[in-house]
Each structure stands twice: as structure tokens, then as C-alpha cells.
Amino acid sequence: MSVVSGCGAWKKSVLFVLAWLCVGQLWAAGDEAQEAAAAKALLEKAVAHYRQVGDKALAEFSRQGEYVDGERYVFVTDTNGVMLASGGPSVVLIGRDVSSVLDPELQKGFKDVLKTPESAGIQQAEYRWKNQNDGKIERKRVYFQRVGDRVLAVGYYLPRASPEQARALLDKASKALEQDQDGTLEAINNLKGGFLQDDLYVFVVNVDTKRYVAHGTNLRLVNTDFSKIKDPEGKPVGLPMLEMIKKQPEGEYEYRWRNPVTGKVEHKHAYMRKVGEFLVAVGYYNG
């Protein structure tokens, strides 16, 4: 979890709290820069309105209207941790002390954020949290700002992981296979064990039999012939990857594939590596 605002370390835990409060948001389309700009703009609009009318704005934030923009919405807590307004699923928490439902570590972080000076302005960060829409642990970004004794926030999920994260997951899967082959293949196939992260997942193919032995999102592919796999546009995927990995220990290949988070066919850049008799691969999507 990385804080991108450059603020103190205490905000790391706080962001988990903010994520929990805006559970249910899902970004399934659109450019990330546009989505970020829209979320920040909604928060700025809410802050400006709150400065004008004070707590009268809370009722407006809690109903469908100009402060709910698709899957984005405003939520507000006071500096005692009580939910005051929400345009999304966390509306059920209005009037409750949010900190009372958090574990001790998150409670401490929540108390820290409530002490943030108003002069800090809008803050942003990335973290990982469960998306109630699909039950997956996904990356999320939140913008938040304190105004007097209120904290206003808007957040959204990030459907696309980075190339660095893809490489890191490939490293993790490769090392795990070397240490515990059967256990790792089982963990990939049961979609647990940390081998499914956001839109990143691992798939493993036996180079000799050319068949999938593990797949992080589609178990129907296990035991099928990878060499015959093509993308939705008919471009060969399996055969060129197998040929490449027979000639070199690592490689990269681009094709189009369905993003499990957005549900759309997107460009995918796969990193692959030879581990024993296996081709291990992880790819990231770039829209």
C-alpha cells in the first residue's frame, strides 16, 4: 500500500478506513486520468458547497443528486468518527461511530486522520480493499479533505494494475513453484494464496504437454491445449509464447484478452518465465 500524497506514515492505516466507508464503488470503464479528475472534482465541489452552507449540505450528500456521479459519491464523518452523510452503500452507517466497527489497528489510523489540519488540503492515496460488488480485494484511490470538524471524501476502484505489479506477481509465483510445485498450482487454481490481485492473475502451462495446469481466473482452461489459444481477433497466443519460451528463459508477448475486472476485451502485455517444465505468465492490461 503506497501513499501518493507524500503525507505522514499514519495515513496508511487511515486509508483503509476511508476505503471501508465507500465500499461498493466500481470503475468499469473510462480513462484513469479522467476518472481521477472526476473524483477529485466531485470532492472539490462538495467541499466548496459545505463551506457555503455547513451541515445543511449533509442531507444533499446523502441522497441521489448532484453529489452522486455514477459510482462516485461523497461521504462525510465528523472528527469523533461518526458517519454524517453518504451517497452510497455506507449510508447505513449514518449516525454510528465508524471506529467502533474497526479493528484496533484501523481505529488508531482513523483517530489520526481526524486530527489532520484543514490546511493540508485535499489528500490522495492508493490502497487495497474488498470491493463488495465482486468480492475481490482490489486497488483503490481516495481523495479526502478535512473542513472544520468534518472529513469529506470520494473514492474509486482502480481496475488496472501496473507493469511493476505484474512483474512482482510473476516473481512471487515463480519462486513459489520452485519451492512447492503442487501447493502453488493448487493455490492458483483455488483463486487464493495471493496469486489473484486486481486484474492480475497467474497462469501456468506445461511446456511438454502444451496444456494449462493452472489458471488464476478461468478453471475451464485447465487441461486444455494452450498451443491452440487465440485472442478474440484470431491472433495466436499460445503457440508463439511456447515457441518463445523454448528459446529463452523469459519473454514478453502482447495480445488482446478479457480483463476480469472491467469485463472488456483490452490490450494485454504478458511477462512469462520458464520454471522447470512450466511456462509461468502474468500480464497487465492497458485498455
Side-chain angles (χ1 to χ4, degrees), residues 48 57 70 72 83 95 110 117 128-129 180 196 217 231 253 261 271:
R72 297 178 293 272
M83 176 71 77
F110 193 35
R128 296 178 62 78
W129 199 255
D180 181 6
L196 175 61
T217 62
D231 73 10
Y253 192 70
V261 174
Y271 296 118

Side-chain angles (χ1 to χ4, degrees), residues 32-43:
E32 180 175 341
Q34 294 178 346
E35 179 71 14
K40 187 175 182 180
L42 181 59
L43 178 59

Side-chain angles (χ1 to χ4, degrees), residues 57-259:
L58 299 179
E60 296 178 70
F61 296 157
S62 298
R63 61 173 178 258
Q64 296 298 306
E66 60 181 311
Y67 295 100
V68 175
D69 181 13
E71 299 296 336
R72 297 178 293 272
Y73 58 86
V74 178
F75 64 92
V76 185
T77 70
D78 67 15
T79 51
N80 292 316
V82 176
M83 176 71 77
L84 300 177
S86 173
S90 51
V91 66
V92 298
L93 296 175
I94 290 178
R96 295 184 59 184
D97 179 357
V98 177
S99 63
S100 67
V101 299
L102 303 175
D103 63 40
E105 181 179 354
L106 296 188
Q107 285 181 18
K108 181 181 183 303
F110 193 35
K111 291 178 181 178
D112 286 338
V113 77
L114 299 179
K115 300 175 183 177
T116 308
E118 186 171 346
S119 60
I122 291 180
Q123 305 296 309
Q124 64 166 311
E126 292 182 14
Y127 51 90
R128 296 178 62 78
W129 199 255
K130 185 176 182 179
N131 183 335
Q132 292 293 73
N133 283 330
D134 57 20
K136 298 177 181 178
I137 302 297
E138 299 172 2
R139 286 194 307 147
K140 198 169 190 179
R141 176 172 296 146
V142 66
Y143 292 95
F144 62 97
Q145 181 172 354
R146 177 172 171 172
V147 181
D149 59 356
R150 307 295 190 238
V151 178
L152 287 70
V154 177
Y156 62 92
Y157 286 97
L158 295 161
R160 296 186 182 91
S162 68
E164 293 75 20
Q165 290 173 309
R167 287 185 180 277
L169 185 57
L170 177 60
D171 289 341
K172 177 180 178 179
S174 299
K175 292 178 182 178
L177 273 172
E178 292 173 347
Q179 298 172 356
D180 181 6
Q181 178 177 301
D182 293 339
T184 301
L185 294 177
E186 180 180 355
I188 295 171
N189 282 330
N190 67 22
L191 312 185
K192 298 179 181 179
F195 297 108
L196 175 61
Q197 301 173 3
D198 310 314
D199 59 349
L200 294 180
Y201 58 88
V202 180
F203 67 85
V204 184
V205 176
N206 185 302
V207 176
D208 297 324
T209 65
K210 302 179 181 179
R211 294 186 176 274
Y212 284 100
V213 293
H215 196 286
T217 62
N218 190 351
L219 295 181
R220 290 177 298 180
L221 288 175
V222 175
N223 292 323
T224 63
D225 190 340
F226 180 60
S227 67
K228 297 180 179 180
I229 295 294
K230 297 180 179 180
D231 73 10
E233 298 175 351
K235 177 182 178 180
V237 174
L239 187 58
M241 291 179 70
L242 285 167
E243 291 178 344
M244 186 181 298
I245 210 66
K246 286 182 178 180
K247 300 175 183 177
Q248 57 198 56
E250 296 190 11
E252 301 178 24
Y253 192 70
E254 293 189 353
Y255 54 100
R256 289 178 62 78
W257 204 254
R258 180 182 177 277
N259 184 323

